[in-house]
Amino acid sequence: MLWDFYNEVGRRFALGSSSMLTPYFGITVAHAEIDGFTEKDPFGTGAALRVASSDADSVATALGLRYNGSFGAFKPQVAVAWEHEFEDTFRRICPSSRRLRAPTSRRSAPIWMRISSWSRLAGPMR
């Protein structure tokens, strides 16, 4: 299950007749739950991976600047923002297998949630 909310407020400033600059403040609130699972082991090798269920919460703010232009059919938009996460910034992932009887790895993964026109729950393993 994943739910999220994103909203922002800003003020547009015209830069001539074809461009705008918008300083903005945004906030994201999100929650994700992942069900645990166990891989099938049809040959009885004991190497089936088990992953426990987990959840993550996110409350993040963004302070940024957006540029919009309009040059005929070319309409660029560029945004830069500083984003700060207030909730779960790291998640412990503990997969294990029946054969080893112990976790095979323990990794902390940063959880970044930035929701605007799409949803994303990602982060490189560290």
Side-chain angles (χ1 to χ4, degrees):
M1 177 178 83
L2 170 70
W3 61 262
D4 57 69
F5 169 81
Y6 177 80
N7 205 356
E8 66 183 40
V9 62
R11 183 159 194 292
R12 293 183 180 146
F13 295 97
L15 300 175
S17 62
S18 62
S19 300
M20 287 192 187
L21 201 58
T22 308
Y24 67 93
F25 173 80
I27 187 165
T28 301
V29 179
H31 175 78
E33 293 178 12
I34 300 170
D35 294 334
F37 66 91
T38 301
E39 293 178 332
K40 295 186 187 308
D41 188 8
F43 300 107
T45 64
L49 184 66
R50 287 186 307 227
V51 176
S53 60
S54 66
D55 65 355
D57 294 307
S58 175
V59 176
T61 56
L63 186 59
L65 190 63
R66 182 179 297 116
Y67 169 80
N68 293 80
S70 181
F71 309 100
F74 182 60
K75 299 180 185 325
Q77 180 184 57
V78 177
V80 293
W82 174 78
E83 191 169 301
H84 180 76
E85 174 62 56
F86 293 95
E87 286 288 334
D88 297 340
T89 55
F90 287 90
R91 172 75 44 217
R92 182 151 310 270
I93 301 169
C94 301
S96 64
S97 74
R98 194 166 26 111
R99 171 175 276 177
L100 298 175
R101 302 268 184 219
T104 55
S105 67
R106 290 189 180 271
R107 306 287 305 256
S108 291
I111 295 180
W112 295 314
M113 292 181 155
R114 172 72 162 86
I115 294 90
S116 55
S117 60
W118 67 90
S119 296
R120 167 176 93 202
L121 172 62
M125 300 298 282
R126 287 189 182 186

Tab-separated table of all heavy atoms in Angstrom, residues 3-6 25-32 56-62 82-89 91 111-115 121:
chain	number	residue	atom	x	y	z
A	3	TRP	N	0.440	5.554	-0.133
A	3	TRP	CA	-0.342	6.774	-0.289
A	3	TRP	C	0.599	7.950	-0.136
A	3	TRP	O	1.632	7.854	0.513
A	3	TRP	CB	-1.516	6.858	0.683
A	3	TRP	CG	-1.161	6.860	2.142
A	3	TRP	CD1	-1.181	5.789	2.988
A	3	TRP	CD2	-0.746	7.977	2.935
A	3	TRP	NE1	-0.788	6.165	4.244
A	3	TRP	CE2	-0.513	7.514	4.244
A	3	TRP	CE3	-0.530	9.325	2.663
A	3	TRP	CZ2	-0.090	8.349	5.277
A	3	TRP	CZ3	-0.102	10.150	3.707
A	3	TRP	CH2	0.100	9.655	4.979
A	4	ASP	N	0.253	9.032	-0.780
A	4	ASP	CA	1.108	10.201	-0.725
A	4	ASP	C	0.304	11.474	-0.962
A	4	ASP	O	-0.806	11.433	-1.495
A	4	ASP	CB	2.235	10.107	-1.746
A	4	ASP	CG	1.715	9.917	-3.149
A	4	ASP	OD1	1.112	10.852	-3.701
A	4	ASP	OD2	1.905	8.820	-3.693
A	5	PHE	N	0.866	12.567	-0.540
A	5	PHE	CA	0.290	13.892	-0.740
A	5	PHE	C	1.439	14.842	-1.023
A	5	PHE	O	2.455	14.809	-0.328
A	5	PHE	CB	-0.456	14.337	0.525
A	5	PHE	CG	-0.850	15.786	0.496
A	5	PHE	CD1	-1.983	16.191	-0.182
A	5	PHE	CD2	-0.090	16.739	1.151
A	5	PHE	CE1	-2.350	17.532	-0.215
A	5	PHE	CE2	-0.442	18.076	1.127
A	5	PHE	CZ	-1.577	18.475	0.440
A	6	TYR	N	1.308	15.653	-2.041
A	6	TYR	CA	2.311	16.678	-2.336
A	6	TYR	C	1.587	17.963	-2.693
A	6	TYR	O	0.610	17.947	-3.445
A	6	TYR	CB	3.222	16.268	-3.502
A	6	TYR	CG	4.208	17.350	-3.861
A	6	TYR	CD1	5.365	17.522	-3.112
A	6	TYR	CD2	3.973	18.231	-4.907
A	6	TYR	CE1	6.264	18.533	-3.417
A	6	TYR	CE2	4.866	19.241	-5.222
A	6	TYR	CZ	6.005	19.388	-4.467
A	6	TYR	OH	6.897	20.387	-4.747
A	25	PHE	N	7.789	26.699	-2.155
A	25	PHE	CA	7.939	25.837	-0.988
A	25	PHE	C	6.959	24.691	-1.169
A	25	PHE	O	5.785	24.902	-1.458
A	25	PHE	CB	7.609	26.597	0.303
A	25	PHE	CG	7.581	25.704	1.514
A	25	PHE	CD1	8.753	25.323	2.134
A	25	PHE	CD2	6.372	25.232	2.012
A	25	PHE	CE1	8.732	24.490	3.239
A	25	PHE	CE2	6.339	24.403	3.115
A	25	PHE	CZ	7.521	24.030	3.726
A	26	GLY	N	7.447	23.453	-1.025
A	26	GLY	CA	6.590	22.284	-1.184
A	26	GLY	C	6.710	21.353	0.003
A	26	GLY	O	7.712	21.361	0.725
A	27	ILE	N	5.687	20.547	0.215
A	27	ILE	CA	5.716	19.539	1.281
A	27	ILE	C	5.157	18.225	0.745
A	27	ILE	O	4.192	18.210	-0.021
A	27	ILE	CB	4.942	19.991	2.538
A	27	ILE	CG1	5.141	18.979	3.673
A	27	ILE	CG2	3.474	20.238	2.231
A	27	ILE	CD1	4.731	19.488	5.030
A	28	THR	N	5.809	17.152	1.123
A	28	THR	CA	5.399	15.802	0.760
A	28	THR	C	5.162	15.014	2.035
A	28	THR	O	5.997	15.038	2.942
A	28	THR	CB	6.507	15.081	-0.036
A	28	THR	OG1	6.783	15.818	-1.207
A	28	THR	CG2	6.090	13.674	-0.403
A	29	VAL	N	4.044	14.321	2.101
A	29	VAL	CA	3.757	13.387	3.190
A	29	VAL	C	3.410	12.070	2.516
A	29	VAL	O	2.557	12.033	1.625
A	29	VAL	CB	2.585	13.874	4.068
A	29	VAL	CG1	2.297	12.880	5.178
A	29	VAL	CG2	2.869	15.249	4.639
A	30	ALA	N	4.091	10.987	2.904
A	30	ALA	CA	3.863	9.704	2.236
A	30	ALA	C	4.033	8.543	3.208
A	30	ALA	O	4.717	8.662	4.224
A	30	ALA	CB	4.829	9.543	1.070
A	31	HIS	N	3.408	7.436	2.864
A	31	HIS	CA	3.520	6.198	3.644
A	31	HIS	C	3.533	5.030	2.656
A	31	HIS	O	2.755	5.008	1.707
A	31	HIS	CB	2.345	6.051	4.608
A	31	HIS	CG	2.344	4.752	5.343
A	31	HIS	ND1	3.164	4.526	6.421
A	31	HIS	CD2	1.657	3.613	5.142
A	31	HIS	CE1	2.964	3.295	6.869
A	31	HIS	NE2	2.060	2.724	6.106
A	32	ALA	N	4.421	4.067	2.886
A	32	ALA	CA	4.493	2.876	2.039
A	32	ALA	C	4.613	1.643	2.917
A	32	ALA	O	5.305	1.669	3.935
A	32	ALA	CB	5.695	2.958	1.106
A	56	ALA	N	7.416	2.413	5.643
A	56	ALA	CA	8.229	3.624	5.669
A	56	ALA	C	7.311	4.836	5.660
A	56	ALA	O	6.262	4.827	5.013
A	56	ALA	CB	9.165	3.666	4.464
A	57	ASP	N	7.704	5.846	6.391
A	57	ASP	CA	6.985	7.113	6.421
A	57	ASP	C	7.911	8.212	5.943
A	57	ASP	O	9.121	8.147	6.151
A	57	ASP	CB	6.515	7.436	7.842
A	57	ASP	CG	5.480	6.448	8.329
A	57	ASP	OD1	4.485	6.249	7.620
A	57	ASP	OD2	5.674	5.879	9.411
A	58	SER	N	7.340	9.215	5.323
A	58	SER	CA	8.138	10.328	4.833
A	58	SER	C	7.381	11.633	5.025
A	58	SER	O	6.200	11.722	4.703
A	58	SER	CB	8.461	10.143	3.349
A	58	SER	OG	9.134	11.277	2.855
A	59	VAL	N	8.077	12.613	5.574
A	59	VAL	CA	7.606	13.995	5.609
A	59	VAL	C	8.799	14.813	5.144
A	59	VAL	O	9.821	14.867	5.815
A	59	VAL	CB	7.166	14.444	7.017
A	59	VAL	CG1	6.778	15.905	7.011
A	59	VAL	CG2	6.014	13.588	7.512
A	60	ALA	N	8.677	15.398	3.965
A	60	ALA	CA	9.796	16.131	3.375
A	60	ALA	C	9.321	17.504	2.907
A	60	ALA	O	8.195	17.653	2.440
A	60	ALA	CB	10.379	15.360	2.197
A	61	THR	N	10.202	18.477	3.055
A	61	THR	CA	9.918	19.814	2.546
A	61	THR	C	10.924	20.141	1.445
A	61	THR	O	12.026	19.609	1.424
A	61	THR	CB	10.017	20.876	3.653
A	61	THR	OG1	11.303	20.811	4.255
A	61	THR	CG2	8.945	20.674	4.703
A	62	ALA	N	10.510	21.015	0.556
A	62	ALA	CA	11.388	21.449	-0.537
A	62	ALA	C	11.300	22.969	-0.649
A	62	ALA	O	10.221	23.545	-0.584
A	62	ALA	CB	10.967	20.806	-1.852
A	82	TRP	N	16.207	22.525	-2.596
A	82	TRP	CA	16.805	21.890	-1.429
A	82	TRP	C	15.683	21.143	-0.750
A	82	TRP	O	14.632	21.703	-0.446
A	82	TRP	CB	17.403	22.935	-0.493
A	82	TRP	CG	17.904	22.335	0.779
A	82	TRP	CD1	19.068	21.662	0.960
A	82	TRP	CD2	17.251	22.341	2.051
A	82	TRP	NE1	19.181	21.237	2.265
A	82	TRP	CE2	18.072	21.650	2.956
A	82	TRP	CE3	16.047	22.853	2.499
A	82	TRP	CZ2	17.730	21.458	4.278
A	82	TRP	CZ3	15.706	22.669	3.825
A	82	TRP	CH2	16.551	21.980	4.702
A	83	GLU	N	15.872	19.837	-0.540
A	83	GLU	CA	14.845	19.011	0.070
A	83	GLU	C	15.348	18.441	1.387
A	83	GLU	O	16.483	17.967	1.468
A	83	GLU	CB	14.451	17.883	-0.882
A	83	GLU	CG	13.226	17.131	-0.444
A	83	GLU	CD	12.714	16.212	-1.532
A	83	GLU	OE1	12.385	16.680	-2.622
A	83	GLU	OE2	12.678	14.990	-1.264
A	84	HIS	N	14.503	18.478	2.412
A	84	HIS	CA	14.872	17.949	3.722
A	84	HIS	C	13.857	16.898	4.149
A	84	HIS	O	12.656	17.143	4.111
A	84	HIS	CB	14.928	19.059	4.766
A	84	HIS	CG	15.303	18.557	6.121
A	84	HIS	ND1	16.598	18.216	6.441
A	84	HIS	CD2	14.567	18.305	7.218
A	84	HIS	CE1	16.632	17.790	7.691
A	84	HIS	NE2	15.413	17.837	8.183
A	85	GLU	N	14.334	15.726	4.571
A	85	GLU	CA	13.496	14.628	5.041
A	85	GLU	C	13.451	14.660	6.563
A	85	GLU	O	14.495	14.719	7.216
A	85	GLU	CB	14.066	13.297	4.558
A	85	GLU	CG	13.371	12.081	5.099
A	85	GLU	CD	11.916	11.992	4.686
A	85	GLU	OE1	11.633	12.012	3.478
A	85	GLU	OE2	11.067	11.908	5.588
A	86	PHE	N	12.259	14.613	7.140
A	86	PHE	CA	12.091	14.666	8.589
A	86	PHE	C	11.825	13.305	9.216
A	86	PHE	O	11.959	13.144	10.419
A	86	PHE	CB	10.925	15.599	8.962
A	86	PHE	CG	11.208	17.035	8.645
A	86	PHE	CD1	10.783	17.595	7.451
A	86	PHE	CD2	11.911	17.823	9.536
A	86	PHE	CE1	11.049	18.917	7.154
A	86	PHE	CE2	12.180	19.150	9.245
A	86	PHE	CZ	11.742	19.695	8.059
A	87	GLU	N	11.416	12.318	8.441
A	87	GLU	CA	11.028	11.020	9.006
A	87	GLU	C	12.088	9.957	8.754
A	87	GLU	O	13.256	10.188	8.960
A	87	GLU	CB	9.670	10.593	8.416
A	87	GLU	CG	8.507	11.376	8.973
A	87	GLU	CD	8.148	11.032	10.408
A	87	GLU	OE1	8.410	9.905	10.865
A	87	GLU	OE2	7.595	11.913	11.077
A	88	ASP	N	11.653	8.771	8.262
A	88	ASP	CA	12.539	7.626	8.033
A	88	ASP	C	13.539	7.939	6.926
A	88	ASP	O	13.178	7.986	5.764
A	88	ASP	CB	11.729	6.395	7.618
A	88	ASP	CG	10.771	5.943	8.693
A	88	ASP	OD1	10.979	6.316	9.850
A	88	ASP	OD2	9.819	5.212	8.369
A	89	THR	N	14.794	8.128	7.285
A	89	THR	CA	15.798	8.400	6.266
A	89	THR	C	16.578	7.146	5.883
A	89	THR	O	17.176	7.094	4.824
A	89	THR	CB	16.788	9.486	6.724
A	89	THR	OG1	17.368	9.095	7.962
A	89	THR	CG2	16.074	10.817	6.894
A	91	ARG	N	16.416	2.658	6.051
A	91	ARG	CA	15.610	1.479	6.304
A	91	ARG	C	16.526	0.273	6.334
A	91	ARG	O	17.386	0.120	5.479
A	91	ARG	CB	14.576	1.334	5.186
A	91	ARG	CG	13.790	0.082	5.172
A	91	ARG	CD	12.708	-0.025	6.218
A	91	ARG	NE	11.960	1.185	6.340
A	91	ARG	CZ	11.510	1.640	7.495
A	91	ARG	NH1	11.744	0.998	8.602
A	91	ARG	NH2	10.829	2.757	7.559
A	111	ILE	N	15.918	6.147	2.055
A	111	ILE	CA	14.617	6.165	1.413
A	111	ILE	C	14.298	7.596	1.040
A	111	ILE	O	14.211	8.464	1.885
A	111	ILE	CB	13.531	5.608	2.345
A	111	ILE	CG1	13.814	4.141	2.613
A	111	ILE	CG2	12.150	5.808	1.740
A	111	ILE	CD1	12.830	3.494	3.510
A	112	TRP	N	14.195	7.828	-0.249
A	112	TRP	CA	13.842	9.158	-0.734
A	112	TRP	C	12.444	9.064	-1.308
A	112	TRP	O	12.160	8.215	-2.124
A	112	TRP	CB	14.786	9.614	-1.826
A	112	TRP	CG	16.174	9.796	-1.368
A	112	TRP	CD1	16.593	10.443	-0.244
A	112	TRP	CD2	17.344	9.334	-2.016
A	112	TRP	NE1	17.944	10.410	-0.159
A	112	TRP	CE2	18.439	9.727	-1.233
A	112	TRP	CE3	17.578	8.623	-3.182
A	112	TRP	CZ2	19.734	9.459	-1.575
A	112	TRP	CZ3	18.871	8.354	-3.515
A	112	TRP	CH2	19.937	8.768	-2.727
A	113	MET	N	11.609	9.942	-0.886
A	113	MET	CA	10.266	9.976	-1.432
A	113	MET	C	9.992	11.391	-1.910
A	113	MET	O	9.973	12.314	-1.121
A	113	MET	CB	9.238	9.574	-0.397
A	113	MET	CG	9.313	8.157	-0.001
A	113	MET	SD	8.052	7.793	1.173
A	113	MET	CE	7.876	6.067	0.909
A	114	ARG	N	9.828	11.520	-3.156
A	114	ARG	CA	9.511	12.827	-3.733
A	114	ARG	C	8.345	12.598	-4.666
A	114	ARG	O	8.466	11.913	-5.672
A	114	ARG	CB	10.724	13.379	-4.484
A	114	ARG	CG	10.462	14.629	-5.277
A	114	ARG	CD	10.263	15.818	-4.334
A	114	ARG	NE	10.428	17.051	-5.037
A	114	ARG	CZ	9.459	17.667	-5.696
A	114	ARG	NH1	8.261	17.151	-5.746
A	114	ARG	NH2	9.694	18.803	-6.300
A	115	ILE	N	7.220	13.090	-4.298
A	115	ILE	CA	6.029	12.825	-5.074
A	115	ILE	C	5.519	14.139	-5.646
A	115	ILE	O	5.286	15.083	-4.927
A	115	ILE	CB	4.933	12.174	-4.205
A	115	ILE	CG1	5.374	10.787	-3.740
A	115	ILE	CG2	3.647	12.028	-4.973
A	115	ILE	CD1	6.079	10.742	-2.487
A	121	LEU	N	9.746	5.481	-4.813
A	121	LEU	CA	10.352	5.036	-3.555
A	121	LEU	C	11.640	4.367	-3.972
A	121	LEU	O	11.654	3.284	-4.501
A	121	LEU	CB	9.440	4.043	-2.823
A	121	LEU	CG	10.004	3.359	-1.600
A	121	LEU	CD1	10.351	4.390	-0.533
A	121	LEU	CD2	9.013	2.372	-1.044
